[in-house]
Amino acid sequence: MFTIGVLASGKGSNLQAIIDQIKTGFLNVKIGVVISDNPQAYALEIARSEKIPAEYIEPGKHKTFLDPNQEKKYVQCLKEHHVELVCLAGFMRVIKKEFFNAYQGRIINIHPSLLPAFRGLEAWKQAIDYGVKFTGCTVHFVEEDIDTGPIVLQAVVPVLSDDSPESLHKRIQEKEHIIYPLAIKLISENNVVVEGRRVMIYED
Ligand code: GRF
């Protein structure tokens, strides 16, 4: 069966959404392993309670990326679990060389804005501060530059006058939980073709 690996640093609601869609039968994939750079990540608990292999792997001394030696261990772990597609779900580190050598074109991420707007951290807050009326979320392939890779799917979320960063983020996440499993389904069923920056989707 097509096997994915999930990398998460935090609460793991996207991981939960993927698990839920596997259980409904919508997604016909196996989660080979969940890896975190944060031993306290609730995502690890979710995985353990679902009997999915869950690993904390030390990130090393840097704050924003993994030490190359540690990054090698992440890749090794993914390989040991036969992972074909790496799904970043709130993983708070920039992916570097070791990952691209092993999984070029097979790493995806979910970002809480309509890219290319509002790359980087707290994109929902950036959207409120900028004053846009619509924002949303994006599933994209991961490239070396942050939040720039070819876009697989997007969903739009209106910004309401009484939105706080929290209320907006919550509504964005509801859409994330729909489009991330859908993107994984499309890729796992071979219905996604990347041509330069464009991602073509062919549905049966
Ligand atoms: C999501 O908002 C995602 O867009 C961003 O990190 C957050 C992860 O949330 N990349 P969760 O841990 O899946 O709940």
Side-chain angles (χ1 to χ4, degrees):
M1 189 181 292
F2 190 89
T3 303
I4 67 167
V6 177
L7 266 57
S9 303
K11 68 182 195 295
S13 70
N14 280 285
L15 169 65
Q16 186 65 60
I18 295 165
I19 292 169
D20 291 346
Q21 293 298 1
I22 291 173
K23 285 184 179 166
T24 65
F26 175 76
L27 247 185
N28 192 21
V29 305
K30 174 181 162 188
I31 304 178
V33 65
V34 173
I35 312 179
S36 186
D37 59 334
N38 167 15
Q40 317 298 345
Y42 191 65
L44 288 176
E45 259 182 62
I46 295 175
R48 287 187 193 114
S49 71
E50 299 286 341
K51 310 268 181 285
I52 296 167
E55 301 283 349
Y56 160 66
I57 302 180
E58 271 186 40
K61 60 181 180 303
H62 302 284
K63 280 216 161 65
T64 55
F65 59 94
L66 302 164
D67 277 10
N69 276 341
Q70 296 310 106
E71 192 171 61
K72 263 189 200 150
K73 291 186 187 163
Y74 278 70
V75 169
Q76 209 176 346
C77 180
L78 292 164
K79 292 276 178 199
E80 274 164 16
H81 289 92
H82 309 289
V83 166
E84 293 162 86
L85 177 72
V86 181
C87 303
L88 308 182
F91 188 63
M92 300 306 286
R93 308 220 173 221
V94 179
I95 293 301
K96 290 196 176 284
K97 207 173 90 231
E98 301 295 338
F99 269 95
F100 292 114
N101 286 345
Y103 282 103
Q104 183 78 50
R106 292 187 293 143
I107 309 169
I108 57 173
N109 181 43
I110 176 92
H111 180 78
S113 77
L114 291 176
L115 290 172
F118 311 130
R119 295 162 56 194
L121 294 176
E122 297 194 322
W124 58 89
K125 191 169 177 299
Q126 295 184 49
I128 288 187
D129 291 346
Y130 195 92
V132 293
K133 300 299 185 193
F134 292 93
T135 184
C137 49
T138 302
V139 180
H140 64 95
F141 285 99
V142 175
E143 286 181 343
E144 301 206 20
D145 274 348
I146 301 171
D147 301 331
T148 57
I151 291 169
V152 184
L153 292 176
Q154 293 187 302
V156 177
V157 175
V159 182
L160 307 177
S161 299
D162 60 356
D163 258 330
S164 62
E166 294 72 29
S167 66
L168 179 59
H169 188 208
K170 185 166 175 285
R171 290 205 318 289
I172 292 172
Q173 286 222 294
E174 286 167 10
K175 296 282 189 190
E176 292 182 358
H177 301 159
I178 298 169
I179 68 168
Y180 211 15
L182 176 57
I184 294 168
K185 179 183 169 72
L186 292 167
I187 294 169
S188 68
E189 292 175 356
N190 246 326
N191 286 328
V192 166
V193 176
V194 183
E195 286 178 17
R197 283 215 49 88
R198 293 188 75 194
V199 178
M200 314 300 176
I201 292 172
Y202 300 99
E203 282 182 89
D204 304 328

